[in-house]
PDB file of all heavy atoms in Angstrom:
ATOM      1  N   TYR O 115      -7.000  16.309   9.708  1.00  0.00           N
ATOM      2  CA  TYR O 115      -8.053  16.012  10.667  1.00  0.00           C
ATOM      3  C   TYR O 115      -7.539  16.304  12.072  1.00  0.00           C
ATOM      4  O   TYR O 115      -6.340  16.276  12.343  1.00  0.00           O
ATOM      5  CB  TYR O 115      -8.462  14.531  10.588  1.00  0.00           C
ATOM      6  CG  TYR O 115      -9.032  14.111   9.249  1.00  0.00           C
ATOM      7  CD1 TYR O 115      -8.196  13.698   8.213  1.00  0.00           C
ATOM      8  CD2 TYR O 115     -10.404  14.111   9.016  1.00  0.00           C
ATOM      9  CE1 TYR O 115      -8.705  13.315   6.978  1.00  0.00           C
ATOM     10  CE2 TYR O 115     -10.924  13.718   7.788  1.00  0.00           C
ATOM     11  CZ  TYR O 115     -10.068  13.329   6.777  1.00  0.00           C
ATOM     12  OH  TYR O 115     -10.579  12.951   5.559  1.00  0.00           O
ATOM     13  N   GLN O 117      -8.417  15.193  16.214  1.00  0.00           N
ATOM     14  CA  GLN O 117      -9.151  14.256  17.062  1.00  0.00           C
ATOM     15  C   GLN O 117      -8.873  14.579  18.516  1.00  0.00           C
ATOM     16  O   GLN O 117      -7.746  14.415  18.998  1.00  0.00           O
ATOM     17  CB  GLN O 117      -8.727  12.813  16.744  1.00  0.00           C
ATOM     18  CG  GLN O 117      -9.532  11.766  17.486  1.00  0.00           C
ATOM     19  CD  GLN O 117      -9.137  10.345  17.098  1.00  0.00           C
ATOM     20  OE1 GLN O 117      -7.999  10.069  16.758  1.00  0.00           O
ATOM     21  NE2 GLN O 117     -10.096   9.433  17.160  1.00  0.00           N
ATOM     22  N   SER O 122     -14.270  11.549  17.766  1.00  0.00           N
ATOM     23  CA  SER O 122     -14.018  11.103  16.405  1.00  0.00           C
ATOM     24  C   SER O 122     -13.037  12.033  15.704  1.00  0.00           C
ATOM     25  O   SER O 122     -12.619  13.064  16.245  1.00  0.00           O
ATOM     26  CB  SER O 122     -15.336  11.064  15.640  1.00  0.00           C
ATOM     27  OG  SER O 122     -15.165  10.501  14.361  1.00  0.00           O
ATOM     28  N   GLU O 179      -9.827   5.844  -4.180  1.00  0.00           N
ATOM     29  CA  GLU O 179     -10.779   6.162  -3.118  1.00  0.00           C
ATOM     30  C   GLU O 179     -10.188   6.004  -1.721  1.00  0.00           C
ATOM     31  O   GLU O 179     -10.654   6.625  -0.769  1.00  0.00           O
ATOM     32  CB  GLU O 179     -11.997   5.241  -3.225  1.00  0.00           C
ATOM     33  CG  GLU O 179     -12.826   5.459  -4.464  1.00  0.00           C
ATOM     34  CD  GLU O 179     -13.562   4.206  -4.870  1.00  0.00           C
ATOM     35  OE1 GLU O 179     -12.993   3.116  -4.756  1.00  0.00           O
ATOM     36  OE2 GLU O 179     -14.723   4.335  -5.304  1.00  0.00           O
ATOM     37  N   PHE O 183      -3.174   7.317   5.841  1.00  0.00           N
ATOM     38  CA  PHE O 183      -2.969   8.232   6.951  1.00  0.00           C
ATOM     39  C   PHE O 183      -1.518   8.321   7.365  1.00  0.00           C
ATOM     40  O   PHE O 183      -0.774   7.327   7.316  1.00  0.00           O
ATOM     41  CB  PHE O 183      -3.794   7.778   8.164  1.00  0.00           C
ATOM     42  CG  PHE O 183      -5.272   7.950   7.995  1.00  0.00           C
ATOM     43  CD1 PHE O 183      -6.049   6.914   7.503  1.00  0.00           C
ATOM     44  CD2 PHE O 183      -5.896   9.145   8.321  1.00  0.00           C
ATOM     45  CE1 PHE O 183      -7.424   7.065   7.342  1.00  0.00           C
ATOM     46  CE2 PHE O 183      -7.257   9.302   8.156  1.00  0.00           C
ATOM     47  CZ  PHE O 183      -8.020   8.266   7.670  1.00  0.00           C
TER      48      PHE O 183
ATOM     49  N   GLN Y  68      -9.114   1.745  15.295  1.00  0.00           N
ATOM     50  CA  GLN Y  68      -8.103   2.648  15.816  1.00  0.00           C
ATOM     51  C   GLN Y  68      -7.719   2.249  17.233  1.00  0.00           C
ATOM     52  O   GLN Y  68      -8.574   2.159  18.111  1.00  0.00           O
ATOM     53  CB  GLN Y  68      -8.584   4.108  15.793  1.00  0.00           C
ATOM     54  CG  GLN Y  68      -7.466   5.101  16.137  1.00  0.00           C
ATOM     55  CD  GLN Y  68      -7.925   6.535  16.178  1.00  0.00           C
ATOM     56  OE1 GLN Y  68      -9.067   6.833  16.501  1.00  0.00           O
ATOM     57  NE2 GLN Y  68      -7.022   7.465  15.836  1.00  0.00           N
ATOM     58  N   ARG Y  73      -2.796   5.730  14.208  1.00  0.00           N
ATOM     59  CA  ARG Y  73      -3.588   6.135  13.056  1.00  0.00           C
ATOM     60  C   ARG Y  73      -4.710   5.129  12.820  1.00  0.00           C
ATOM     61  O   ARG Y  73      -4.576   3.957  13.192  1.00  0.00           O
ATOM     62  CB  ARG Y  73      -2.706   6.231  11.819  1.00  0.00           C
ATOM     63  CG  ARG Y  73      -2.293   4.899  11.202  1.00  0.00           C
ATOM     64  CD  ARG Y  73      -1.319   5.068  10.055  1.00  0.00           C
ATOM     65  NE  ARG Y  73       0.056   4.887  10.484  1.00  0.00           N
ATOM     66  CZ  ARG Y  73       1.119   5.153   9.744  1.00  0.00           C
ATOM     67  NH1 ARG Y  73       0.981   5.652   8.531  1.00  0.00           N
ATOM     68  NH2 ARG Y  73       2.334   4.946  10.180  1.00  0.00           N
ATOM     69  N   ARG Y  81     -18.021  -0.226  -1.766  1.00  0.00           N
ATOM     70  CA  ARG Y  81     -18.389   0.821  -2.704  1.00  0.00           C
ATOM     71  C   ARG Y  81     -19.880   0.787  -2.950  1.00  0.00           C
ATOM     72  O   ARG Y  81     -20.539  -0.226  -2.710  1.00  0.00           O
ATOM     73  CB  ARG Y  81     -17.589   0.659  -4.006  1.00  0.00           C
ATOM     74  CG  ARG Y  81     -16.140   1.044  -3.803  1.00  0.00           C
ATOM     75  CD  ARG Y  81     -15.202   0.541  -4.868  1.00  0.00           C
ATOM     76  NE  ARG Y  81     -13.836   0.990  -4.600  1.00  0.00           N
ATOM     77  CZ  ARG Y  81     -13.016   0.424  -3.727  1.00  0.00           C
ATOM     78  NH1 ARG Y  81     -13.409  -0.621  -3.038  1.00  0.00           N
ATOM     79  NH2 ARG Y  81     -11.798   0.904  -3.524  1.00  0.00           N
ATOM     80  N   LEU Y 129     -13.051  12.317   4.159  1.00  0.00           N
ATOM     81  CA  LEU Y 129     -13.781  11.351   4.988  1.00  0.00           C
ATOM     82  C   LEU Y 129     -14.649  12.083   6.006  1.00  0.00           C
ATOM     83  O   LEU Y 129     -14.173  12.995   6.680  1.00  0.00           O
ATOM     84  CB  LEU Y 129     -12.797  10.458   5.732  1.00  0.00           C
ATOM     85  CG  LEU Y 129     -12.014   9.455   4.890  1.00  0.00           C
ATOM     86  CD1 LEU Y 129     -10.715   9.091   5.574  1.00  0.00           C
ATOM     87  CD2 LEU Y 129     -12.849   8.212   4.665  1.00  0.00           C
ATOM     88  N   GLY Y 132     -18.026   8.567  11.476  1.00  0.00           N
ATOM     89  CA  GLY Y 132     -19.001   8.393  12.535  1.00  0.00           C
ATOM     90  C   GLY Y 132     -18.345   8.698  13.878  1.00  0.00           C
ATOM     91  O   GLY Y 132     -17.144   8.956  13.963  1.00  0.00           O
TER      92      GLY Y 132
END
Side-chain angles (χ1 to χ4, degrees):
Chain O
Y115 298 86
Q117 185 177 31
S122 186
E179 294 153 321
F183 290 93
Chain Y
Q68 189 182 31
R73 75 185 97 190
R81 288 163 179 80
L129 290 155

